[in-house]
Structure formats: C-alpha cells, structure tokens
C-alpha cells in the first residue's frame, strides 16, 4: 500500500483525488475528512462494477482491507455494482412521533459482549435515490459533541447534574465510560425532548462532531469501524430536515462483513448473528431501546 492511511484530527481535509496502490491495482481516492477515505473506483475503470468482491475482498487482500478500515474509521466505496447474496435490508423505521433506535448514535452490537468488527452499510443501485443521510463520526467526538450542545436544562436534570462532563475528563475516558455517559445523555434527551426536538439536537451533534453525512450515492458501500483495534466510530440515521413522513426514499442494505463474509473453512457464528439481528428490530414499549442504544451499556 503506498498511500498514507492514518491522518491526525488536525490534518486538513483533502478534497482532491489522488491515487492509492492497493491489491495490485491503482485506485482513485480522496480524504474529505481525517477519518474518511473515499474510494471512487479503479484507475481506468469508469463504469460501475463489483470491484469490492472481485478485488478488495478477495481472500488474499481481505485482511489488509479490513486493517485499512480499522486504521481509517470510515472507508467509502463508490460505484460498486453488486448483487452479492450476503446483504440484507436495514431494519427499523422512523415515525413522525418518535425516533427509531437507529436515529441515536450507536455501535452495532451494543447489548452483547461481542460486537462486529465493523458494519458495512450499502445503498444499492435502484430506481429511487436515498434522501436520508447516515451520519458517521468518531465515538469520542460524538460524546464530546453531545455534551457541548446539551441544553442547560437537560444538563441540570438529576441523572446528569452530578456527572463530570468536562471535555478534559471525556478525553481521558475509556470506551466503557464513554458508553455509560452517552447512554445517560441519550436517555435524558429521549425523555425530555419531543421527536423533532431530539432530531434537532442530534443535528447539532452532527455539526459539532464534524460528522460525515454526505448524501448516499447509488452503488455506495460504507465500511464503518465498530469495534476494532483502531478508530471506533458511531453512526446514526440522520434526517437533515423535519421528518414529516410520506416521502419516497431509496432503501439501504447491510452486513457485518468480517463475521458474515467468510474465508474457506470458516463457519458463521449463527448465535452471534441472530443476537445482533434481534437487536436491530423496532422497539416494543421502549424495552429494547432501553436495553440497547439508550441503556447504560
């Protein structure tokens, strides 16, 4: 690989296209944010094709590609035309009256001891474009942003009033402490704000966390580092305007690529996959939501 994979938070975003040498090929890439690498396609290839499975995820290159995701945070693959059978529809829907679980910043696999290494979310090539964004940002930046834009009256509630939420303290927290604080704030927002108030709050979080929420392109896959040795990210379904419903919208699919797209001889851990899929369903009387993204972790 002959292109720097890691950038510091202070690295200026690179909006120009450069070339990455990887998997015995040359790729057109750019860096819109320090934690984002966008792969536009292979040099010399203009039409969409399945370069994801035909090259990047071949057994001999797969772990190297996964490590690129680990080190980067978010790797976006554009212009991918694939009908690979491992993808499934993203579950959960939002309503005008309440937020879905997916609208809160979260990791996949919150409730269990084992989380997917990363989640791949994909916008298939389809007749209808996708109008709802997916915001993605580093976990610690998300929690800092949630504190920074938290209304004073919410910070003064009993659940939060005695918590040390100074940014210097958050900078020193481990992942478990970040999850705990985030769960407290999310539950408070959920209880104290109506649906559009909560959505407005999270739009402010998106901005303060410098989240990536570029519009979905048809044929785009996003590999989001979820629980790994490098940068841990979070993501959410992000309505950038009041959610009034009744608007036609393209659908997304997903998979936990590391756990589901296996090498020869490997076997899917069906119990893990079943537990993770069960977590994705719509909440029932708030029970699943309290146990997952809104819980104390």
């Amino acid at each position: 690989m002959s292109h720097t994979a890691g950038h510091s938070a202070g690295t200026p975003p690179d909006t120009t296209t450069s070339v990455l040498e990887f998997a015995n090929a040359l790729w057109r890439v750019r860096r819109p944010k320090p934690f984002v690498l966008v792969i536009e396609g292979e040099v010399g290839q203009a039409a969409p094709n399945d370069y994801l499975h035909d090259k990047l995820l071949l057994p001999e290159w797969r772990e190297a590609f996964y490590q690129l995701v680990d080190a980067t945070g978010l790797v976006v693959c554009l212009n991918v035309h694939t009908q690979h059978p491992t993808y499934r529809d993203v579950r959960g829907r939002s309503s005008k009256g309440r937020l879905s679980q997916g609208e809160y910043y979260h990791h996949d696999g919150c409730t269990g001891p084992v989380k997917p290494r990363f989640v791949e979310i994909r916008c298939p090539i389809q007749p209808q474009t996708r109008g709802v964004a997916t915001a993605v940002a580093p976990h610690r930046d998300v929690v800092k942003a949630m504190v920074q834009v938290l209304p004073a009256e919410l910070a003064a509630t009993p659940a939060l009033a005695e918590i040390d939420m100074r940014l210097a303290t958050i900078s020193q927290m481990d992942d478990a402490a970040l999850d705990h604080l985030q769960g407290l704030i999310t539950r408070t927002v959920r209880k104290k704000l109506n649906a559009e108030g909560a959505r407005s709050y999270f739009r402010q979080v998106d901005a303060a966390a410098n989240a990536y929420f570029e519009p979905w392109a048809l044929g785009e896959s996003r590999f989001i580092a979820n629980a790994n040795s490098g940068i841990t990210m979070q993501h959410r379904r992000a309505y950038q305007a009041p959610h009034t419903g009744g608007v036609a919208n393209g659908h997304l699919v997903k998979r936990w690529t590391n756990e589901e797209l296996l090498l020869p001889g490997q076997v899917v851990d069906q119990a893990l996959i079943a537990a993770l899929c069960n977590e994705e369903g719509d909440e029932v009387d708030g029970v699943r939501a309290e146990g997952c993204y809104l819980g104390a972790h």
Side-chain angles (χ1 to χ4, degrees), residues 148-166:
Q148 286 177 297
V149 304
L150 188 66
E153 61 271 21
L154 269 61
T157 59
L160 297 174
E162 302 303 319
I163 304 294
D164 183 355
M165 294 191 291
R166 292 174 298 173

Side-chain angles (χ1 to χ4, degrees), residues 30-113:
R30 51 188 167 85
R31 279 273 193 178
K33 291 183 183 291
F35 56 86
V36 183
L37 176 69
V38 176
I39 301 175
E40 298 177 344
E42 189 175 355
V43 172
Q45 295 285 339
N49 61 80
D50 196 1
Y51 67 80
L52 189 56
H53 298 94
D54 293 343
K55 293 202 174 180
L56 296 180
L57 292 176
L58 286 176
E60 59 266 35
W61 295 108
R62 192 173 302 175
E63 179 57 29
F65 180 70
Y66 289 174
Q67 289 179 16
L68 180 63
V69 178
D70 287 339
T72 303
L74 170 63
V75 173
V76 178
C77 295
L78 300 178
N79 302 310
V80 176
H81 192 302
T82 184
Q83 295 180 331
H84 202 278
T86 53
Y87 295 103
R88 61 190 177 280
D89 285 340
V90 171
R91 299 167 63 180
R93 297 292 180 267
S94 305
S95 72
K96 290 183 288 184
R98 65 178 175 87
L99 274 66
S100 72
Q101 295 182 58
E103 289 186 70
Y104 302 97
Y105 272 103
H106 63 279
H107 310 285
D108 273 24
C110 284
T111 59

Side-chain angles (χ1 to χ4, degrees), residues 185-230:
I185 296 173
T186 302
R187 284 203 308 276
T188 301
V189 168
R190 180 175 186 262
K191 291 176 180 177
K192 299 296 184 180
L193 300 180
N194 62 23
E196 281 311 311
R199 290 184 176 111
S200 176
Y201 167 76
F202 278 105
R203 283 193 286 271
Q204 295 177 64
V205 173
D206 294 340
N210 191 30
Y212 182 87
F213 51 85
E214 292 299 315
W216 281 96
L218 299 180
E220 173 183 356
S221 278
R222 297 182 184 181
F223 289 83
I224 304 169
N226 185 69
N228 53 34
S229 59

